[in-house]
mmCIF file of all heavy atoms in Angstrom:
data_model
loop_
_atom_site.group_PDB
_atom_site.id
_atom_site.type_symbol
_atom_site.label_atom_id
_atom_site.label_comp_id
_atom_site.label_asym_id
_atom_site.label_seq_id
_atom_site.Cartn_x
_atom_site.Cartn_y
_atom_site.Cartn_z
ATOM 1 N N LEU A 19 121.498 158.669 157.077
ATOM 2 C CA LEU A 19 122.675 157.863 157.420
ATOM 3 C C LEU A 19 122.461 156.392 157.080
ATOM 4 O O LEU A 19 123.371 155.713 156.596
ATOM 5 C CB LEU A 19 123.003 158.026 158.901
ATOM 6 C CG LEU A 19 123.545 159.392 159.317
ATOM 7 C CD1 LEU A 19 123.676 159.484 160.826
ATOM 8 C CD2 LEU A 19 124.875 159.655 158.651
ATOM 9 N N ILE A 20 121.262 155.890 157.323
ATOM 10 C CA ILE A 20 120.959 154.491 156.998
ATOM 11 C C ILE A 20 121.032 154.268 155.493
ATOM 12 O O ILE A 20 121.611 153.279 155.022
ATOM 13 C CB ILE A 20 119.582 154.090 157.557
ATOM 14 C CG1 ILE A 20 119.635 154.014 159.077
ATOM 15 C CG2 ILE A 20 119.118 152.760 156.977
ATOM 16 C CD1 ILE A 20 118.284 153.849 159.740
ATOM 17 N N SER A 21 120.467 155.183 154.711
ATOM 18 C CA SER A 21 120.489 155.005 153.252
ATOM 19 C C SER A 21 121.914 155.062 152.719
ATOM 20 O O SER A 21 122.277 154.296 151.825
ATOM 21 C CB SER A 21 119.608 156.037 152.563
ATOM 22 O OG SER A 21 120.199 157.314 152.601
ATOM 23 N N ARG A 22 122.733 155.933 153.285
ATOM 24 C CA ARG A 22 124.132 155.984 152.842
ATOM 25 C C ARG A 22 124.880 154.727 153.257
ATOM 26 O O ARG A 22 125.744 154.245 152.524
ATOM 27 C CB ARG A 22 124.800 157.235 153.390
ATOM 28 C CG ARG A 22 124.305 158.476 152.694
ATOM 29 C CD ARG A 22 124.975 159.717 153.162
ATOM 30 N NE ARG A 22 124.452 160.869 152.415
ATOM 31 C CZ ARG A 22 124.616 162.107 152.799
ATOM 32 N NH1 ARG A 22 125.264 162.377 153.911
ATOM 33 N NH2 ARG A 22 124.119 163.089 152.077
ATOM 34 N N GLY A 23 124.549 154.199 154.433
ATOM 35 C CA GLY A 23 125.156 152.935 154.851
ATOM 36 C C GLY A 23 124.771 151.788 153.945
ATOM 37 O O GLY A 23 125.599 150.929 153.629
ATOM 38 N N VAL A 24 123.507 151.765 153.519
ATOM 39 C CA VAL A 24 123.053 150.714 152.599
ATOM 40 C C VAL A 24 123.779 150.832 151.266
ATOM 41 O O VAL A 24 124.163 149.818 150.668
ATOM 42 C CB VAL A 24 121.522 150.769 152.418
ATOM 43 C CG1 VAL A 24 121.068 149.861 151.287
ATOM 44 C CG2 VAL A 24 120.827 150.394 153.711
ATOM 45 N N VAL A 25 123.997 152.054 150.799
ATOM 46 C CA VAL A 25 124.739 152.246 149.545
ATOM 47 C C VAL A 25 126.157 151.708 149.694
ATOM 48 O O VAL A 25 126.665 151.002 148.810
ATOM 49 C CB VAL A 25 124.751 153.734 149.133
ATOM 50 C CG1 VAL A 25 125.737 153.982 148.016
ATOM 51 C CG2 VAL A 25 123.367 154.180 148.715
ATOM 52 N N LEU A 26 126.809 152.016 150.799
ATOM 53 C CA LEU A 26 128.176 151.525 151.010
ATOM 54 C C LEU A 26 128.221 149.999 151.121
ATOM 55 O O LEU A 26 129.121 149.356 150.580
ATOM 56 C CB LEU A 26 128.774 152.162 152.259
ATOM 57 C CG LEU A 26 129.093 153.648 152.139
ATOM 58 C CD1 LEU A 26 129.583 154.196 153.476
ATOM 59 C CD2 LEU A 26 130.125 153.890 151.055
ATOM 60 N N MET A 27 127.236 149.413 151.808
ATOM 61 C CA MET A 27 127.183 147.949 151.891
ATOM 62 C C MET A 27 126.928 147.335 150.516
ATOM 63 O O MET A 27 127.489 146.286 150.188
ATOM 64 C CB MET A 27 126.103 147.508 152.868
ATOM 65 C CG MET A 27 126.494 147.693 154.314
ATOM 66 S SD MET A 27 125.355 146.951 155.479
ATOM 67 C CE MET A 27 123.907 147.952 155.257
ATOM 68 N N ALA A 28 126.083 147.986 149.709
ATOM 69 C CA ALA A 28 125.812 147.478 148.369
ATOM 70 C C ALA A 28 127.072 147.513 147.514
ATOM 71 O O ALA A 28 127.341 146.574 146.759
ATOM 72 C CB ALA A 28 124.696 148.283 147.712
ATOM 73 N N ILE A 29 127.852 148.565 147.659
ATOM 74 C CA ILE A 29 129.105 148.654 146.898
ATOM 75 C C ILE A 29 130.065 147.548 147.333
ATOM 76 O O ILE A 29 130.673 146.877 146.495
ATOM 77 C CB ILE A 29 129.739 150.045 147.065
ATOM 78 C CG1 ILE A 29 128.888 151.096 146.353
ATOM 79 C CG2 ILE A 29 131.166 150.070 146.529
ATOM 80 C CD1 ILE A 29 129.284 152.522 146.651
ATOM 81 N N ALA A 30 130.175 147.341 148.639
ATOM 82 C CA ALA A 30 131.072 146.299 149.144
ATOM 83 C C ALA A 30 130.622 144.912 148.677
ATOM 84 O O ALA A 30 131.448 144.092 148.251
ATOM 85 C CB ALA A 30 131.125 146.354 150.669
ATOM 86 N N LEU A 31 129.321 144.632 148.757
ATOM 87 C CA LEU A 31 128.820 143.340 148.306
ATOM 88 C C LEU A 31 128.982 143.164 146.804
ATOM 89 O O LEU A 31 129.276 142.066 146.329
ATOM 90 C CB LEU A 31 127.353 143.173 148.690
ATOM 91 C CG LEU A 31 127.101 142.844 150.150
ATOM 92 C CD1 LEU A 31 125.605 142.908 150.450
ATOM 93 C CD2 LEU A 31 127.645 141.475 150.479
ATOM 94 N N TYR A 32 128.810 144.238 146.032
ATOM 95 C CA TYR A 32 128.998 144.147 144.583
ATOM 96 C C TYR A 32 130.445 143.785 144.257
ATOM 97 O O TYR A 32 130.696 142.926 143.401
ATOM 98 C CB TYR A 32 128.613 145.457 143.901
ATOM 99 C CG TYR A 32 128.796 145.385 142.412
ATOM 100 C CD1 TYR A 32 127.847 144.763 141.614
ATOM 101 C CD2 TYR A 32 129.920 145.902 141.799
ATOM 102 C CE1 TYR A 32 128.014 144.657 140.246
ATOM 103 C CE2 TYR A 32 130.102 145.806 140.436
ATOM 104 C CZ TYR A 32 129.151 145.187 139.666
ATOM 105 O OH TYR A 32 129.332 145.086 138.322
ATOM 106 N N VAL A 33 131.383 144.438 144.931
ATOM 107 C CA VAL A 33 132.794 144.121 144.694
ATOM 108 C C VAL A 33 133.083 142.671 145.063
ATOM 109 O O VAL A 33 133.790 141.957 144.340
ATOM 110 C CB VAL A 33 133.701 145.097 145.481
ATOM 111 C CG1 VAL A 33 135.155 144.650 145.452
ATOM 112 C CG2 VAL A 33 133.575 146.503 144.921
ATOM 113 N N TYR A 34 132.518 142.212 146.178
ATOM 114 C CA TYR A 34 132.699 140.822 146.594
ATOM 115 C C TYR A 34 132.158 139.853 145.538
ATOM 116 O O TYR A 34 132.841 138.903 145.132
ATOM 117 C CB TYR A 34 131.994 140.582 147.930
ATOM 118 C CG TYR A 34 131.952 139.138 148.346
ATOM 119 C CD1 TYR A 34 133.091 138.501 148.820
ATOM 120 C CD2 TYR A 34 130.775 138.408 148.251
ATOM 121 C CE1 TYR A 34 133.065 137.169 149.201
ATOM 122 C CE2 TYR A 34 130.732 137.078 148.631
ATOM 123 C CZ TYR A 34 131.884 136.462 149.100
ATOM 124 O OH TYR A 34 131.848 135.150 149.460
ATOM 125 N N PHE A 35 130.934 140.104 145.067
ATOM 126 C CA PHE A 35 130.343 139.216 144.060
ATOM 127 C C PHE A 35 131.042 139.357 142.712
ATOM 128 O O PHE A 35 131.074 138.413 141.925
ATOM 129 C CB PHE A 35 128.851 139.482 143.911
ATOM 130 C CG PHE A 35 128.027 138.929 145.030
ATOM 131 C CD1 PHE A 35 127.114 139.722 145.689
ATOM 132 C CD2 PHE A 35 128.161 137.612 145.432
ATOM 133 C CE1 PHE A 35 126.347 139.213 146.720
ATOM 134 C CE2 PHE A 35 127.404 137.090 146.462
ATOM 135 C CZ PHE A 35 126.497 137.890 147.112
ATOM 136 N N PHE A 36 131.603 140.527 142.435
ATOM 137 C CA PHE A 36 132.317 140.733 141.181
ATOM 138 C C PHE A 36 133.514 139.780 141.085
ATOM 139 O O PHE A 36 133.796 139.235 140.018
ATOM 140 C CB PHE A 36 132.780 142.183 141.060
ATOM 141 C CG PHE A 36 133.481 142.483 139.772
ATOM 142 C CD1 PHE A 36 132.753 142.675 138.610
ATOM 143 C CD2 PHE A 36 134.857 142.575 139.718
ATOM 144 C CE1 PHE A 36 133.382 142.953 137.412
ATOM 145 C CE2 PHE A 36 135.501 142.851 138.529
ATOM 146 C CZ PHE A 36 134.769 143.040 137.376
ATOM 147 N N PHE A 37 134.196 139.593 142.199
ATOM 148 C CA PHE A 37 135.356 138.705 142.189
ATOM 149 C C PHE A 37 134.968 137.230 142.276
ATOM 150 O O PHE A 37 135.806 136.358 142.114
ATOM 151 C CB PHE A 37 136.321 139.073 143.316
ATOM 152 C CG PHE A 37 137.056 140.354 143.032
ATOM 153 C CD1 PHE A 37 136.808 141.474 143.785
ATOM 154 C CD2 PHE A 37 137.961 140.431 141.994
ATOM 155 C CE1 PHE A 37 137.471 142.656 143.522
ATOM 156 C CE2 PHE A 37 138.629 141.604 141.711
ATOM 157 C CZ PHE A 37 138.383 142.726 142.487
ATOM 158 N N LYS A 38 133.724 136.924 142.525
ATOM 159 C CA LYS A 38 133.246 135.539 142.566
ATOM 160 C C LYS A 38 132.373 135.230 141.348
ATOM 161 O O LYS A 38 131.512 134.376 141.408
ATOM 162 C CB LYS A 38 132.458 135.299 143.855
ATOM 163 C CG LYS A 38 133.315 135.450 145.097
ATOM 164 C CD LYS A 38 132.646 134.970 146.313
ATOM 165 C CE LYS A 38 132.439 133.527 146.345
ATOM 166 N NZ LYS A 38 133.378 132.605 146.814
#
Side-chain angles (χ1 to χ4, degrees):
L19 290 173
I20 290 171
S21 73
R22 288 182 179 164
V24 170
V25 168
L26 290 176
M27 285 189 293
I29 291 170
L31 284 172
Y32 180 80
V33 170
Y34 172 74
F35 284 129
F36 182 78
F37 287 112
K38 296 191 68 87

